[in-house]
Amino acid sequence: MAMSEFGIVYAVHIITVQFGSVVSKVCECLLRKGPLSSRDISRLAESDINHNQVKDILYLLIQHNCVQAFSIEPPDGSESKAIVQYIVLFNNIMHRVRYNKFSRLVNEEFGSECGAVLDGLLSNGRLTLGQLIERDRDSGKTIGSEAIRDSLQKLVAARFVERIPSPEPVLGNKEQEPAKKRGAKAAKILKEPESLEERVVEAATPVDAIRFPLIFEEDANSSLADDDSNITEGKRKQRDVDSSDPSSGVIWRPNFEEFIHRLRHKACVEIVKERKDEGCAIVLRAMLEVGRSQEKKVKTDNSAPMSIGSIYEEVIKTEAGRTMLQERVEACLDQLSATSSYLPAFVTEMNDSYIVDFKSIISVAQKDEIEAVVMRRYGKEAFRMFRYLSQEGRFVETDKIADAALTEKKDTPQFLLKMWKDGYLHMQKLAITGTYVPFLLWKVNKLIVTRQMLDEMYHASLNLNLRLAHELESEKELLMLPSDKLEGPLKERVKKVRAKRLLLSSTMFKLDDAIMLFHDF
């Protein structure tokens, strides 16, 4: 999905707060102009930044996984060299406000020691095992090198941490690709990624055996575990710990893809719990656990098929599911497979197997979010019109909308025009012979509405961040006072400031959940 205006402004704000205004100028240049070489950035960035400064800033943004270097293969027969370009990773910038969510996932699953290792990677971007151990030694609460090594092992095995991608992947020249003839079937299988950012990320991502090498350490014959060092996994681990040079060895970073993957699953369970019941949520959670390893990307429409036996086996592993009999699990699967006028099937049954329909689950939550905004902004009448058009999924004339939504025909065009002006409806005019007034047709275009919603949410997140920063800055001196000096009116003021900060923070947290629902899930 293309970046919106407020998406860019919000991303620049995040970089400004965390790295300063000079770094944000380079980031904004890449967000607005697209991929550029370092010399083009120094020429186009709206600031007095020389070429050496630009290179330093790019290295900083690469270290924190916000920028990726790449080059495009020159055309055949060309003597020109491939120029290194830099592309900003918009999604990774957005993930920077989600670090607390990522830390919570790891702390809940593996405990505080793994949480400490992840926090080191989140705050530093990329580190070797040796650097993680050195960081632990310098901290006030050391957990020891063995605990660091074991924690890293767990995080890589769970795919929360990965080896860094290729520093400078080379992309094939797309102008030459149409010349290659492919059959219709092959064209369907070998789909081109939607954007240049996706192509670059795909080209930079190593195969799983290299990306998650510790997973394969038990295979003594595997040469993939550390193909760039030609040493065994055990020796490499020892070298990482004992080496006097902390920069040597494998460099690790957080795997944002896996975190979003887990948060998507968590959101699906909450959606089902809210729309169905606790039993259905337990069964769906078990299904997601069974099928997780077979999901190759985050935005998967459907899970792999799974049998009732494998689902039940996973259900009874959990404390909440141990009391459930197989008949109860089958009844929950029937509930999840049922359709109604207002809810689609969340699970599809096929040849005695069950498939989770992620697209249906997510679309229900998206629809509820959009309709809630329409209700708040335009009222009940407009809400009924919008819901009717959403269900129809086609162009409908004004009078028919009025009849279906039970609204006055003279008021209906005003509601429809308001929603159209704000980008929530698509309008089509039909000229009819013999009349001066055009015939108006209306439709909900989900893609346009989703983009509009996202842009508004980015805008709201930006405003909340600015408001929180203003509140903290204006009361900075008060908040720095020691607690023993806070009495009477001062104590009440501090309580109000903290309550306001908590409210703004929790609102930002929930708003980010909604952004993920539309952008990441």
Side-chain angles (χ1 to χ4, degrees):
M1 192 176 288
M3 287 179 284
S4 64
E5 175 58 28
F6 278 111
I8 292 172
V9 176
Y10 183 39
V12 171
H13 171 75
I14 292 168
I15 295 297
T16 304
V17 169
Q18 298 185 5
F19 299 107
S21 58
V22 178
V23 176
S24 71
K25 289 289 182 185
V26 171
C27 188
E28 184 172 11
C29 182
L30 288 170
L31 283 164
R32 295 194 179 279
K33 307 286 185 185
L36 296 168
S37 67
S38 57
R39 293 206 173 273
D40 286 339
I41 295 168
S42 56
R43 182 171 53 85
L44 294 170
E46 296 176 7
S47 185
D48 298 327
I49 312 173
N50 62 44
H51 186 232
N52 287 333
Q53 283 178 304
V54 167
K55 287 200 291 186
D56 290 340
I57 290 167
L58 288 170
Y59 293 149
L60 173 70
L61 291 171
I62 289 169
Q63 169 70 23
H64 287 274
N65 308 302
C66 297
V67 165
Q68 173 69 49
F70 73 100
S71 57
I72 296 175
E73 199 175 60
D76 289 342
S78 172
E79 294 181 2
S80 61
K81 290 183 179 179
I83 298 171
V84 177
Q85 297 182 69
Y86 299 88
I87 187 168
V88 70
L89 304 176
F90 176 79
N91 290 347
N92 286 7
I93 294 174
M94 291 294 109
H95 294 331
R96 297 191 69 80
V97 300
R98 297 170 185 146
Y99 284 0
N100 285 340
K101 293 176 183 177
F102 299 164
S103 290
R104 184 180 296 177
L105 279 175
V106 167
N107 277 291
E108 285 175 0
E109 187 167 343
F110 295 115
S112 59
E113 289 185 352
C114 286
V117 172
L118 178 70
D119 289 344
L121 290 168
L122 290 173
S123 57
N124 290 278
R126 304 173 176 200
L127 293 172
T128 63
L129 176 57
Q131 288 170 326
L132 282 165
I133 291 168
E134 188 178 329
R135 180 179 177 274
D136 175 63
R137 285 180 189 142
D138 294 340
S139 68
K141 297 179 180 178
T142 181
I143 60 175
S145 60
E146 281 299 321
I148 295 285
R149 188 192 299 108
D150 293 343
S151 298
L152 182 61
Q153 171 86 29
K154 288 177 186 175
L155 291 170
V156 176
R159 304 202 168 198
F160 284 132
V161 168
E162 64 179 355
R163 174 179 274 183
I164 61 167
S166 171
E168 191 189 306
V170 179
L171 271 61
N173 196 314
K174 278 195 93 175
E175 293 177 6
Q176 296 172 200
E177 289 178 13
K180 298 175 184 178
K181 293 184 179 179
R182 289 191 183 123
K185 190 175 180 182
K188 284 182 182 178
I189 297 168
L190 301 172
K191 286 183 180 177
E192 283 293 327
E194 293 178 1
S195 66
L196 179 60
E197 182 180 339
E198 287 176 339
R199 288 182 67 208
V200 171
V201 169
E202 185 182 347
T205 304
V207 296
D208 282 357
I210 298 172
R211 191 179 175 192
F212 308 106
L214 296 180
I215 294 172
F216 302 94
E217 69 174 345
E218 292 178 5
D219 183 3
N221 298 319
S222 174
S223 60
L224 292 171
D226 206 339
D227 67 332
D228 60 353
S229 62
N230 281 330
I231 57 175
T232 64
E233 189 64 39
K235 287 180 182 176
R236 182 182 56 74
K237 282 204 308 183
Q238 192 64 36
R239 180 200 64 190
D240 288 342
V241 178
D242 297 338
S243 173
S244 59
D245 179 11
S247 65
S248 65
V250 178
I251 306 173
W252 305 100
R253 72 171 190 174
N255 178 17
F256 296 133
E257 189 180 71
E258 183 62 24
F259 284 108
I260 297 299
H261 191 189
R262 300 290 185 100
L263 289 172
R264 187 188 196 225
H265 281 187
K266 201 172 179 181
C268 286
V269 171
E270 288 302 315
I271 292 163
V272 167
K273 186 178 178 180
E274 190 178 323
R275 269 76 178 180
K276 299 288 185 178
D277 59 33
E278 181 71 36
C280 289
I282 291 168
V283 172
L284 182 76
R285 189 182 291 112
M287 294 178 77
L288 298 179
E289 198 64 37
V290 171
R292 180 190 295 161
S293 61
Q294 296 180 62
E295 291 175 38
K296 301 302 179 188
K297 57 180 182 177
V298 174
K299 291 187 179 182
T300 305
D301 288 345
N302 298 290
S303 71
M306 54 197 86
S307 66
I308 180 68
S310 61
I311 295 167
Y312 184 63
E313 189 180 330
E314 190 62 41
V315 167
I316 59 176
K317 285 180 183 177
T318 62
E319 189 178 340
R322 284 189 194 117
T323 58
M324 294 179 75
L325 299 175
Q326 186 161 324
E327 290 83 354
R328 171 70 175 127
V329 173
E330 288 172 358
C332 289
L333 288 168
D334 289 340
Q335 271 185 271
L336 291 166
S337 305
T339 58
S340 65
S341 57
Y342 61 93
L343 273 183
F346 292 153
V347 168
T348 307
E349 186 178 359
M350 188 182 294
N351 301 326
D352 296 326
S353 294
Y354 295 90
I355 298 167
V356 178
D357 190 338
F358 290 109
K359 193 174 181 181
S360 291
I361 297 171
I362 297 297
S363 66
V364 164
Q366 288 175 340
K367 179 172 149 295
D368 287 354
E369 284 284 342
I370 294 168
E371 288 181 354
V373 170
V374 171
M375 171 74 93
R376 285 197 303 269
R377 189 172 295 179
Y378 307 105
K380 288 181 181 178
E381 292 85 356
F383 163 73
R384 290 199 298 269
M385 295 176 200
F386 186 87
R387 173 173 273 190
Y388 169 70
L389 288 170
S390 294
Q391 290 170 343
E392 288 297 304
R394 60 183 177 85
F395 281 105
V396 182
E397 59 267 31
T398 309
D399 287 350
K400 219 176 221 184
I401 296 168
D403 293 338
L406 304 174
T407 54
E408 292 288 337
K409 289 191 176 181
K410 61 183 177 65
D411 297 329
T412 302
Q414 295 174 8
F415 287 114
L416 294 169
L417 281 167
K418 277 182 186 176
M419 290 190 282
W420 170 71
K421 284 178 181 175
D422 290 342
Y424 283 85
L425 292 180
H426 187 47
M427 179 178 67
Q428 196 174 74
K429 291 182 181 181
L430 290 180
I432 301 174
T433 308
T435 63
Y436 293 103
V437 181
F439 193 64
L440 298 180
L441 298 172
W442 309 87
K443 178 187 175 183
V444 171
N445 186 319
K446 190 179 177 186
L447 183 61
I448 293 172
V449 172
T450 299
R451 285 176 179 168
Q452 178 67 22
M453 282 281 292
L454 262 177
D455 200 43
E456 289 177 5
M457 286 190 284
Y458 288 138
H459 191 184
S461 291
L462 175 66
N463 287 340
L464 284 168
N465 272 271
L466 292 171
R467 176 64 186 272
L468 180 59
H470 170 74
E471 292 290 339
L472 295 176
E473 182 63 30
S474 61
E475 301 288 358
K476 184 169 64 176
E477 291 181 3
L478 178 66
L479 292 170
M480 288 173 68
L481 287 173
S483 56
D484 58 332
K485 290 188 177 181
L486 296 174
E487 295 178 359
L490 281 179
K491 196 172 185 179
E492 288 302 313
R493 255 180 77 191
V494 168
K495 277 185 182 177
K496 285 181 182 179
V497 170
R498 285 175 180 164
K500 198 179 290 185
R501 180 173 62 183
L502 183 63
L503 176 63
L504 288 169
S505 298
S506 62
T507 305
M508 284 159 52
F509 193 88
K510 289 174 185 174
L511 187 54
D512 184 62
D513 286 343
I515 289 173
M516 285 194 291
L517 182 67
F518 285 91
H519 184 265
D520 299 285
F521 296 168

